[in-house]
């Protein structure tokens, strides 16, 4: 199975990315690590999501943004989540049903160019998805038209990597083929600096663009916990690129690199920088 996946990924299609997330959907954000939910709540605060608003959550995944957004907009508002992973959509739809939420829905849709009516949302939120798009600026442009004039968008991306974890990232690099080098670059190019990303957002038509970066300590019980967690989201790609017969050696190499980073209680802590960008449709 892994070989087939890698071949598809070398061709790099958005569908392959969606299939990657299909394989994470089961344990995504559910392994006892304070991660996507923490950043989602801060995004909602910064975007100022208010009762009665119509919200679009682009790349909704398992609902880290979607569910708190639904609570904030209340019965008088609405939240639509879109994602290209059918497993994410199916599981999140089930959660919506189980929670009996009438103001939330999800739809299988490509974030590169969502097929939604113009100006249908007061707020567009996109947490950790824009860098998966083949053409992020074109994606941002298509998101701009979905926001009502006077409305806003809130986008989260990653800031600089934790330098203490550089050796762990290096372990995976030899297995990443050139055609997938972009997956290592979600913090470079367009995304490298606050200023550069701000300009990209402006070039897509948004105005009043502001970004803030915050660093969060993300705690893992031990190095093995980080490994298990890293299979449960986009990082899984790097594990899947490792040939089957090298997996154990790579796992051991990661454990060896993380050992010196252990805290007195055995845990390891990643300093995660997150960038929140808020933009407006004039
Ligand atoms: C890192 S996850 C973030 C999920 C969620 N926003 C959160 O904060 O937990 C990225 C999500 O974007 C979705 N995604 C990736 N490429 C996409 C595309 N072209 N269109 C729609 N969704 C996409 C993935 O399936 C995945 O659910």
């Amino acid at each position: 199975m892994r070989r087939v996946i890698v071949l598809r990924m070398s061709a790099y299609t958005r569908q392959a990315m969606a299939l990657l997330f299909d394989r994470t959907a089961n344990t995504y954000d559910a392994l006892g690590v304070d991660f996507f939910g923490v950043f989602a709540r801060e995004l909602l605060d910064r975007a100022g999501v208010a009762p009665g608003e119509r919200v679009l959550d682009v790349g909704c995944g398992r609902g880290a943004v979607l569910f708190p957004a639904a609570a904030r907009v209340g019965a008088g508002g609405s939240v639509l989540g879109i994602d290209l992973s059918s497993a994410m959509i199916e599981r999140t739809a089930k959660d919506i049903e189980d929670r009996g939420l009438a103001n939330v829905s999800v739809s299988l849709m490509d974030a590169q160019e969502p097929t939604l009516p113009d100006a249908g949302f007061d707020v567009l939120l996109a947490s950790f998805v824009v860098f998966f798009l083949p053409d992020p600026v074109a994606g941002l442009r298509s998101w701009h038209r979905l926001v009502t004039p006077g409305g806003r968008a809130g986008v989260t991306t990653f800031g600089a990597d934790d330098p203490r974890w550089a050796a762990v990232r290096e372990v995976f690099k030899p297995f990443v083929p050139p055609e997938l080098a972009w997956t290592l670059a979600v913090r470079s190019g367009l995304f490298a600096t606050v200023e550069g990303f701000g300009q990209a957002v402006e070039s897509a038509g948004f105005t009043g663009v502001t970004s803030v970066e915050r660093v969060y300590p993300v705690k893992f019980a031990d190095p093995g916990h980080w490994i298990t967690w890293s299979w449960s989201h986009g990082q899984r790609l790097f594990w899947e690129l490792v040939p089957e017969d090298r997996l154990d050696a790579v796992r051991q190499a990661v454990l060896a690199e993380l050992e010196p980073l252990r805290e007195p209680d055995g845990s390891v802590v990643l300093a995660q920088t997150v960038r929140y960008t808020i933009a407006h449709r004039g």
Side-chain angles (χ1 to χ4, degrees):
M1 169 119 173
R2 176 173 292 111
R3 255 183 224 112
V4 175
I5 291 159
V6 171
L7 279 175
R8 282 190 186 156
M9 289 307 295
S10 342
Y12 175 42
T13 63
R14 273 165 265 172
Q15 201 51 45
M17 193 52 66
L19 290 170
L20 171 77
F21 278 101
D22 279 353
R23 297 188 292 279
T24 70
N26 230 3
T27 54
Y28 185 89
D29 208 19
L31 295 175
V33 179
D34 287 333
F35 203 78
F36 294 106
V38 175
F39 312 141
R41 285 191 293 279
E42 178 140 4
L43 177 65
L44 289 164
D45 284 344
R46 291 185 180 278
V49 174
E53 290 194 307
R54 300 159 300 165
V55 175
L56 175 64
D57 178 13
V58 178
C60 61
R62 295 291 282 107
V65 172
L66 191 84
F67 292 111
R72 289 192 191 211
V73 300
S78 63
V79 186
L80 170 65
I82 61 168
D83 203 289
L84 202 53
S85 157
S86 51
M88 290 289 199
I89 290 295
E90 278 161 24
R91 284 176 170 77
T92 304
K94 173 87 172 49
D95 287 347
I96 293 170
E97 198 186 319
D98 290 349
R99 295 180 193 204
L101 295 172
N103 63 339
V104 195
S105 56
V106 285
S107 182
L108 189 68
M109 201 179 291
D110 191 350
Q112 180 65 63
E113 188 149 17
T115 49
L116 291 166
D118 285 5
F121 300 92
D122 302 302
V123 191
L124 180 148
L125 301 170
S127 208
F128 307 110
V129 62
V130 66
F131 40 67
F132 289 123
L133 303 182
D135 187 340
V137 174
L140 286 161
R141 205 173 295 124
S142 73
W143 300 356
H144 176 262
R145 76 168 174 79
L146 301 180
V147 177
T148 193
R152 60 224 185 267
V155 177
T156 44
T157 47
F158 292 112
D161 281 322
D162 184 343
R164 292 169 71 242
W165 286 57
V168 176
R169 291 187 293 277
E170 289 300 318
V171 171
F172 294 95
K173 278 194 184 161
F175 304 102
V176 179
E179 64 272 26
L180 285 178
W182 69 271
T183 59
L184 295 168
V186 299
R187 295 162 179 82
S188 64
L190 197 66
F191 304 102
T193 63
V194 161
E195 295 73 25
F197 186 59
Q199 281 163 15
V201 175
E202 275 175 9
S203 73
F206 287 100
T207 56
V209 181
T210 53
S211 291
V212 170
E213 287 193 343
R214 278 203 56 199
V215 185
Y216 302 80
V218 182
K219 186 171 180 168
F220 304 92
D222 53 37
H225 188 204
W226 180 80
I227 290 182
T228 308
W229 177 80
S230 64
W231 278 88
S232 73
H233 55 90
Q235 173 103 28
R236 182 186 184 99
L237 170 69
F238 301 114
W239 286 107
E240 291 189 348
L241 290 171
V242 176
E244 198 100 42
D245 61 351
R246 301 287 304 281
L247 263 180
D248 195 48
V250 168
R251 189 185 151 81
Q252 294 308 325
V254 169
L255 290 174
E257 296 298 351
L258 286 176
E259 197 54 38
L261 301 187
R262 277 196 194 238
E263 302 290 328
D265 66 356
S267 66
V268 284
V269 178
L270 173 75
Q272 180 68 62
T273 304
V274 174
R275 182 185 303 156
Y276 301 92
T277 301
I278 305 297
H280 299 263
R281 178 168 181 182

